[in-house]
Amino acid sequence: MRLLLIQKKNPVSEGLFQEISWDSPFLYGIIIGGAIVEWMEMKGSRLVVSLPAELDHHYTEDIRTEIDRAVSNQPVDEVEFDFTRTIFMDSAGIGMLIGRYKIMRALNGRIILSHMNRQIQRILSLSGIQRYIQLDGEEAV
Amino acid sequence: MKNEMTLAFDSISENEGFARVAVAAFVTQLDPTLEEVADIRTAVSEAVTNAIIHGYPDGVHTVVVRALLNDETVELWVTDEGVGMEDIKQAMEPLYTSRPELERSGMGFMFMEAFMDQVEVRSSPGAGTTVYMKKRICKSHVQQGG
Ligand SMILES: Nc1ncnc2c1ncn2[C@@H]1O[C@H](COP(=O)(O)OP(=O)(O)OP(=O)(O)O)[C@@H](O)[C@H]1O
Ligand SMILES: [Mg+2]
C-alpha cells in the first residue's frame, strides 16, 4: 500500500506515522481520540480513499480538500470510497460524495462506493444517490 | 420509567460526535434495537450540525440538547440561540439548503423525519431555533443473547 497523505488534527508530528499500519494500537488510539488520519492510495488510475469511522461534518471538510487536491495533481479516472472502517455517516457525508461525483463527472471519471454496512446503506438509499453512483467497487480492477 | 438529561456544549464540529454518543448512551436505558439507536444518532447529528453550521455561522456559542425518556418514547430538543429561520416550511423541504456553496445537500431534515416519528421546528429570525423530535422505542422486540 502506497501512502500519499496522512493528515491529522493533533500535535503529533507527521512523520511518525509514515509506515504504521491501521492495526497499530497506537494509531488506533489516535483515531479514537478524534484525530483525522486519512489514507489515500493510487491503484492504477483509481484513487482509493479509506474513510474514517465517523463520517460527519467534522471530518468531511478535510477529506474533500485532500481528495480535490489529489485529483487535480494527477490523472485519476475513478475515486473509490472504501467504507470498511465507517460505522456512521450523515448528510454531510452525502454532500461530500455528491460534490466529488460532480468533480469526477467533469473530469469524465466516476466514483465508486465499497464495503458499506447496513446503516450506511440505509442512508445512501434514502438519499437517492444510487442513481448516480456505482455501489460496491469490488469488481475486477 | 422516566429520566431526563440536558447537555450544553460549544458550537464546534468536534461536539457533533460527542452529542451523538451521549444521547445514544442515555437512550440505551430504554433497551432500543441497534437500528433504533442508529436512527437516533443520525437525527441528533443532523440537528446538532445544523445548529453549529446554520444557527451559529459566526463564532462559538452554546448548543443545548435535552433528552427525555418516558416509558417507550424518547423526546429530544436541540436548541440554539442563533440566527433562526425566516421560512421554516421551506427550510424543511427535501433538498432545500441555504448553503449550497458549503456542499450541503439539504437532506438533514429529510433524515430527521425519516428516522424519527415526529419532528417539529420552532424558530424565529434573530432568536434561534429549537428542533423537537420524538421516537417510540418498541418494547416488543425479542432480546438476544442474554
Ligand atoms: N438551527 C438552524 N438555524 C438556522 N437555520 C437552520 C437551522 N437548521 C436548519 N436551518 C436551515 O434549514 C435548511 C435546511 O436544513 P437541512 O439540514 O435539511 O439541510 P442543510 O443543512 O442545508 O444540508 P445538509 O443537512 O444536507 O448538510 C438549512 O440550509 C438552513 O437554511
Ligand atoms: Mg443540515
Side-chain angles (χ1 to χ4, degrees):
Chain A
M1 178 172 190
R2 188 159 70 95
L3 181 67
L4 289 184
L5 167 123
I6 302 180
Q7 193 205 346
K8 65 190 80 65
K9 275 193 178 162
N10 67 49
V12 185
S13 86
E14 295 276 54
L16 255 175
F17 300 101
Q18 292 287 330
E19 304 301 333
I20 296 176
S21 81
W22 282 116
D23 303 329
S24 158
F26 180 43
L27 193 51
Y28 187 66
I30 298 287
I31 298 162
I32 293 294
I36 300 178
V37 181
E38 296 156 38
W39 288 70
M40 298 203 294
E41 177 194 10
M42 284 302 290
K43 283 185 182 163
S45 63
R46 177 185 291 188
L47 177 69
V48 181
V49 180
S50 289
L51 295 169
E54 309 253 325
L55 193 52
D56 64 11
H57 154 250
H58 176 61
Y59 292 96
T60 52
E61 305 272 301
D62 294 297
I63 294 170
R64 70 176 184 192
T65 309
E66 298 308 332
I67 293 172
D68 292 356
R69 189 170 21 218
V71 302
S72 64
N73 283 348
Q74 63 206 308
V76 175
D77 292 332
E78 296 168 330
V79 178
E80 176 181 340
F81 291 93
D82 183 345
F83 286 82
T84 301
R85 290 180 299 124
T86 309
I87 52 170
F88 178 85
M89 176 172 75
D90 64 14
S91 66
I94 300 288
M96 192 267 288
L97 294 173
I98 293 174
R100 305 294 74 65
Y101 161 75
K102 288 180 179 162
I103 286 171
M104 290 313 290
R105 192 185 50 183
L107 296 170
N108 287 319
R110 59 174 188 159
I111 76 169
I112 297 167
L113 313 186
S114 64
H115 306 113
M116 294 79 74
N117 74 11
R118 256 169 54 90
Q119 193 266 347
I120 308 290
Q121 284 174 6
R122 273 176 84 211
I123 292 275
L124 287 169
S125 73
L126 266 171
S127 75
I129 199 176
Q130 276 123 323
R131 268 170 290 168
Y132 312 106
I133 292 170
Q134 181 188 334
L135 301 186
D136 205 348
E138 300 232 278
E139 90 281 18
V141 180
Chain B
M1 68 106 60
K2 198 170 175 224
N3 195 2
E4 185 178 339
M5 69 118 178
T6 303
L7 299 171
F9 50 85
D10 281 353
S11 60
I12 58 174
S13 63
E14 282 83 350
N15 286 332
E16 294 159 7
F18 164 70
R20 285 199 295 274
V21 170
V23 173
F26 188 66
V27 163
T28 55
Q29 296 170 24
L30 293 184
D31 229 347
T33 62
L34 286 178
E35 185 160 296
E36 285 164 341
V37 175
D39 291 353
I40 291 165
R41 277 162 55 90
T42 309
V44 168
S45 191
E46 296 296 350
V48 168
T49 302
N50 280 354
I52 292 173
I53 297 175
H54 304 296
Y56 298 126
D58 306 305
V60 176
H61 305 277
T62 304
V63 179
V64 176
V65 175
R66 180 174 156 227
L68 176 64
L69 311 182
N70 214 333
D71 292 332
E72 299 191 356
T73 61
V74 183
E75 288 172 281
L76 299 168
W77 291 259
V78 177
T79 301
D80 66 73
E81 295 182 340
V83 299
M85 291 175 233
E86 296 277 357
D87 186 341
I88 297 172
K89 219 177 132 231
Q90 179 190 48
M92 293 180 78
E93 272 166 22
L95 307 185
Y96 171 81
T97 179
S98 56
R99 308 295 299 274
E101 78 284 4
L102 295 183
E103 285 198 346
R104 311 255 59 98
S105 57
M107 293 185 189
F109 279 123
M110 199 175 100
F111 289 157
M112 288 182 246
E113 292 190 305
F115 293 135
M116 303 295 281
D117 296 327
Q118 191 182 340
V119 178
E120 271 162 40
V121 178
R122 200 169 276 177
S123 185
S124 55
T129 301
T130 293
V131 176
Y132 167 81
M133 299 183 278
K134 185 173 176 177
K135 188 178 180 69
R136 237 180 76 88
I137 301 299
C138 301
K139 275 275 155 62
S140 53
H141 65 265
V142 181
Q143 288 295 309
Q144 292 169 337

